[in-house]
C-alpha cells in the first residue's frame, strides 16, 4: 500500500514529490497562510542547457545530472519547503511562510547561485544554470493551476532576459526587487570601494549664538547611480543586515574626523552620530564605540549617539543596561525625531538620555500653525521638567529661531545656518563662526 502511494506521488528518477503531491502540498500551505497572512511562492525552474547535455553525453549522464540538481535544490531551501519534479528538466519549488517579496527574491537568488556552481558528471565538470519564474499566492492567482501557469510565464521572461536569472510574474515586483537587489550589491561594493562619506551639519547654542558641534550625516556617491540619499539606502541596509558594517564604519570615521579637528584647534566640538535601531539587534555597538575611541585616542564626551524613539519604547532590560554602560563611558545620548513616534513619555526618564531632538516637521510648520507651535512648546516644557535639553531640527527661518529662543529651546540646527557640509568646508565654516562670535 505504502509502495503504491510512493509510486503515485513521487518521481521515479529523483524520488522527489511529483506534480500531484506538489498540488496537495500547495493546497495545505495556502490554507494555512490565509490565517497567518503570509505569502506562498511558486518557483518554476527550468535548466538552461539540458538538451545539450542529453544530446552530447547521453541519457544516463542526463539522468545523473537531474538527480544531482534535485539534491542541490533540496539543500538550498528549508526542509519545510517542497521541491518537486515536474518532468523533463523542470522543477517546482513551493516556499511558504514568507513575509514579503524581498524574502522570495533572496530564495530565488540563492537557487540561481547554488546552480551556478558546476556539476561533476562522469568525472566531467558540467555547468547547468537555470532560469526561474516566480508567482506569489495570493497576489498572482488563487489556485495551483493559475499560479503554475503564471510562474511558467515568468520563467520564460527569465529565459528571454538572457537565462541564469529569475523573474517575477508581476512586472512591478520585478522593478522593485531588481532595484532592491541592485542597491544591496551597490552597498556591498560601496563598503569595499570606500564610497561612503560623512558630511557635517553644524549645531548651535541658541542663547550665545555659538557653534557647538555637528551631526554626522552619511553620503553615498556611486559612479553609476550617482548620489544616493540616505533615506533611500539606509532602510535597505537595515533589512539586509549591512547596516552593521555601515554603522561600524560611521562611528570610526566620525571619531577619526573629530580627533583631526580637535588637534586642529576645534576644542569643545561634539559630533553626533545616527544609530539605527537594527544595530541594537547585535551586541557590537558598545565594542564599536570603545574601539573607535581607543583607536583615535578620543575623549568619549566628544561623541553623541542619536537613538530613535522606537528603540526606547520596547522597554527591554537588555537595551537599558547597554545604554547605561555606553553612557558610563562618557558618550552622550540623545533621542532623534522626537514627536513622530509614540506619545508615551514615561520611557524618557528611564534611560540615560540627555537631549531630545524635536522632529523637523514640527519646527517647519511651527510659525504657520498654532497647533504645531503648541506641540513644540509642550515638548520643550516636558523635556525641561525631565531635566533634558532640547535641540530643534530643521530651523530654516529667523522667525522660527526667535520663537524657539522665547520658548527656551537650548540648541538648533538647520538650513538657516547651514546644510551638512564636507569636512573641509565644515572646518572653514567653524573658523568663520568663531571669528564672528568671538
Ligand atoms: P535625520 O537624522 O533626521 O537627519 C536630518 C536630515 O534633515 C538630514 O537629511 C539633513 O540633511 C536634513 N536637514 C537638516 N536641516 C534641514 C533643514 O533646515 N530643512 C530640511 N528640509 N532638511 C534639513 P539626510 O542627510 O538626507 O538624512 C536623512 C536621514 O538618514 C537622517 O535623518 C537619518 O535618519 C538617516 N541617516 C543619515 N546618516 C545616517 C547614518 O550615518 N547612520 C544611520 N543609521 N542613519 C543615517
Ligand atoms: Ca539624526
Ligand atoms: Ca532627526
Amino acid at each position: 500500500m505504502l509502495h503504491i502511494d510512493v509510486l503515485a506521488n513521487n518521481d521515479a528518477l529523483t524520488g522527489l514529490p511529483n506534480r500531484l503531491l506538489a498540488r496537495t502540498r500547495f493546497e495545505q500551505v495556502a490554507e494555512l497562510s490565509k490565517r497567518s497572512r503570509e505569502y506562498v511562492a511558486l518557483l518554476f525552474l527550468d535548466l538552461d542547457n539540458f538538451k545539450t547535455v542529453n544530446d552530447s553525453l547521453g541519457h544516463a549522464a542526463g539522468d545523473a545530472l537531474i538527480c544531482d540538481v534535485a539534491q542541490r535544490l533540496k539543500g538550498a531551501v528549508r526542509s519545510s519547503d517542497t521541491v518537486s519534479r515536474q518532468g523533463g528538466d523542470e522543477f517546482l519549488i513551493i516556499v511558504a511562510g514568507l513575509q514579503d517579496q524581498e524574502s522570495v527574491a533572496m530564495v530565488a537568488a540563492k537557487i540561481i547561485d547554488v546552480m551556478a556552481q558546476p556539476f561533476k558528471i562522469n568525472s566531467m565538470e558540467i555547468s547547468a544554470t537555470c532560469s526561474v519564474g516566480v508567482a506569489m499566492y495570493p497576489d498572482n492567482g488563487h489556485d495551483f493551476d493559475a499560479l503554475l501557469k503564471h510562474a511558467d510565464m515568468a520563467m520564460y521572461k527569465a529565459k528571454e532576459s538572457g537565462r541564469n536569472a529569475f523573474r517575477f510574474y508581476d512586472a512591478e515586483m520585478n522593478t522593485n526587487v531588481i532595484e532592491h537587489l541592485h542597491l544591496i550589491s551597490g552597498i556591498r561594493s560601496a563598503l569595499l570601494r570606500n564610497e561612503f562619506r560623512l558630511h557635517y551639519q553644524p549645531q548651535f547654542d541658541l542663547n550665545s549664538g555659538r557653534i557647538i558641534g555637528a551631526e554626522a550625516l552619511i553620503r553615498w556617491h556611486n559612479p553609476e547611480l550617482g548620489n544616493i540619499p540616505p533615506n533611500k539606502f539606509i532602510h535597505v541596509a537595515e533589512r539586509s543586515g549591512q547596516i552593521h558594517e555601515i554603522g561600524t564604519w560611521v562611528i570610526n570615521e566620525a571619531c577619526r574626523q573629530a580627533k583631526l579637528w580637535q588637534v586642529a584647534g576645534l576644542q569643545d566640538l561634539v559630533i553626533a552620530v545616527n544609530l539605527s535601531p537594527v544595530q541594537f539587534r547585535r551586541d557590537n555597538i558598545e565594542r564599536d564605540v570603545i574601539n573607535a575611541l581607543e583607536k583615535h585616542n578620543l575623549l568619549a564626551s566628544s561623541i553623541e549617539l542619536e537613538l530613535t524613539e522606537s528603540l526606547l519604547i520596547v522597554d527591554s532590560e537588555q537595551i537599558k543596561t547597554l545604554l547605561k554602560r555606553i553612557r558610563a563611558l562618557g558618550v552622550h545620548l540623545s533621542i532623534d525625531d522626537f514627536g513622530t513616534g509614540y506619545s508615551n513619555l514615561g520611557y524618557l526618564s528611564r534611560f540615560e538620555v540627555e537631549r531630545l531632538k524635536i522632529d523637523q516637521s514640527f519646527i517647519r510648520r511651527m510659525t504657520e500653525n498654532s497647533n504645531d507651535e503648541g506641540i513644540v512648546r509642550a515638548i520643550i516644557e516636558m523635556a525641561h521638567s525631565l531635566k533634558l535639553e532640547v535641540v530643534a531640527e530643521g530651523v530654516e527661518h529667523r522667525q522660527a529661531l526667535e520663537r524657539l529662543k522665547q520658548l527656551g529651546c537650548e540648541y538648533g540646527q538647520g538650513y538657516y545656518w547651514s546644510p551638512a557640509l564636507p569636512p573641509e568646508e565644515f572646518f572653514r565654516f567653524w573658523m568663520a563662526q568663531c571669528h564672528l562670535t568671538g
Side-chain angles (χ1 to χ4, degrees):
M1 183 62 190
L2 189 70
H3 188 63
I4 295 173
D5 240 25
V6 171
L7 282 182
N9 285 319
N10 293 77
D11 167 52
L13 176 63
T14 60
L16 290 179
N18 61 15
R19 183 179 294 213
L20 203 67
L21 182 52
R23 176 191 295 272
T24 314
R25 292 263 180 90
F26 168 79
E27 280 158 3
Q28 287 164 350
V29 288
E31 195 53 40
L32 288 175
S33 78
K34 273 187 200 156
R35 258 167 279 154
S36 59
R37 292 178 183 281
E38 288 167 327
Y39 289 106
V40 179
L42 255 62
L43 283 72
F44 196 100
L45 181 150
D46 183 284
L47 298 186
D48 288 331
N49 297 305
F50 186 63
K51 197 172 171 320
T52 323
V53 176
N54 243 350
D55 291 351
S56 54
L57 301 176
H59 287 283
D63 284 356
L65 177 62
I66 292 291
C67 290
D68 284 1
V69 169
Q71 285 312 312
R72 228 180 245 191
L73 292 177
K74 274 175 75 174
V77 298
R78 294 171 307 187
S79 57
S80 53
D81 299 331
T82 302
V83 176
S84 77
R85 182 169 178 228
Q86 298 289 292
D89 60 346
E90 292 175 350
F91 294 82
L92 182 71
I93 302 173
I94 302 167
V95 185
L98 298 162
Q99 307 284 345
D100 49 39
Q101 307 163 9
E102 278 80 24
S103 1
V104 189
M106 300 284 187
V107 177
K110 184 170 176 202
I111 287 170
I112 300 281
D113 203 46
V114 298
M115 292 290 292
Q117 317 300 319
F119 288 85
K120 215 168 194 142
I121 307 287
N122 299 343
S123 65
M124 257 187 301
E125 291 220 328
I126 295 177
S127 110
T129 61
C130 66
S131 300
V132 178
V134 186
M136 308 264 279
Y137 172 84
D139 291 7
N140 306 146
H142 285 279
D143 61 60
F144 184 72
D145 293 314
L147 286 160
L148 193 62
K149 192 172 105 197
H150 291 158
D152 190 19
M153 285 163 69
M155 188 273 291
Y156 275 96
K157 282 195 247 165
K159 292 259 183 218
E160 280 167 21
S161 80
R163 301 168 175 235
N164 193 21
F166 68 90
R167 285 292 179 270
F168 280 94
Y169 170 69
D170 187 324
E172 198 183 324
M173 280 191 192
N174 275 331
T175 20
N176 289 348
V177 162
I178 288 170
E179 208 173 82
H180 192 89
L181 292 177
H182 269 315
L183 273 180
I184 291 179
S185 70
I187 294 169
R188 199 177 303 131
S189 53
L191 284 160
L192 293 171
R193 297 191 300 209
N194 202 11
E195 288 170 1
F196 291 121
R197 293 282 174 272
L198 290 182
H199 282 192
Y200 298 85
Q201 182 171 41
Q203 296 183 324
F204 289 82
D205 180 323
L206 302 189
N207 273 323
S208 66
R210 277 172 187 270
I211 179 167
I212 51 156
E215 175 176 3
L217 292 157
I218 195 163
R219 296 292 175 261
W220 176 21
H221 181 83
N222 174 285
E224 290 94 46
L225 305 170
N227 290 327
I228 303 143
N231 284 337
K232 213 164 167 190
F233 70 85
I234 291 290
H235 73 275
V236 175
E238 286 176 339
R239 295 180 68 168
S240 68
Q242 292 164 310
I243 192 68
H244 297 284
E245 258 182 280
I246 295 181
T248 305
W249 179 84
V250 169
I251 289 180
N252 185 66
E253 175 59 17
C255 289
R256 190 188 69 82
Q257 186 62 67
K259 183 68 187 184
L260 279 180
W261 279 333
Q262 285 184 0
V263 171
L266 312 194
Q267 288 303 341
D268 307 318
L269 144 133
V270 176
I271 300 289
V273 170
N274 288 283
L275 284 190
S276 154
V278 175
Q279 288 176 260
F280 284 84
R281 287 191 207 147
R282 277 191 211 159
D283 49 10
N284 52 355
I285 288 188
E286 188 184 9
R287 203 187 58 223
D288 279 355
V289 172
I290 294 173
N291 284 352
L293 291 170
E294 281 178 357
K295 182 170 173 196
H296 302 289
N297 189 21
L298 188 75
L299 274 180
S301 56
S302 312
I303 294 296
E304 172 172 305
L305 300 178
E306 295 194 359
L307 315 168
T308 61
E309 273 182 280
S310 62
L311 179 74
L312 305 188
I313 209 78
V314 289
D315 196 17
S316 112
E317 272 311 311
Q318 196 197 342
I319 288 178
K320 216 187 300 187
T321 50
L322 175 62
L323 291 178
K324 233 191 182 104
R325 287 205 305 273
I326 292 179
R327 182 67 197 103
L329 295 171
V331 172
H332 302 284
L333 298 177
S334 65
I335 300 180
D336 204 357
D337 304 338
F338 187 83
T340 55
Y342 306 81
S343 40
N344 172 3
L345 302 172
Y347 71 85
L348 282 175
S349 51
R350 295 199 298 271
F351 293 92
E352 314 243 333
V353 168
E354 303 159 271
R355 304 211 290 179
L356 186 157
K357 302 185 77 175
I358 306 180
D359 189 68
Q360 46 181 293
S361 55
F362 301 116
I363 307 296
R364 205 169 316 133
R365 294 190 304 245
M366 165 171 125
T367 45
E368 295 153 20
N369 184 325
S370 58
N371 263 346
D372 284 291
E373 176 171 324
I375 292 173
V376 171
R377 180 203 310 238
I379 293 176
I380 294 173
E381 280 169 8
M382 183 252 350
H384 287 168
S385 71
L386 292 168
K387 310 251 181 318
L388 299 173
E389 294 181 324
V390 183
V391 187
E393 283 194 299
V395 178
E396 297 187 355
H397 306 287
R398 169 159 287 276
Q399 213 185 342
L401 166 63
E402 294 306 333
R403 200 67 197 104
L404 285 162
K405 278 208 272 198
Q406 284 167 5
L407 295 174
C409 177
E410 282 89 358
Y411 307 104
Q413 71 183 86
Y415 295 168
Y416 171 72
W417 294 278
S418 169
L421 302 169
E424 320 75 57
E425 280 180 44
F426 178 80
F427 183 76
R428 283 198 292 274
F429 185 91
W430 179 291
M431 295 312 265
Q433 286 295 320
C434 290
H435 209 71
L436 282 177
T437 49

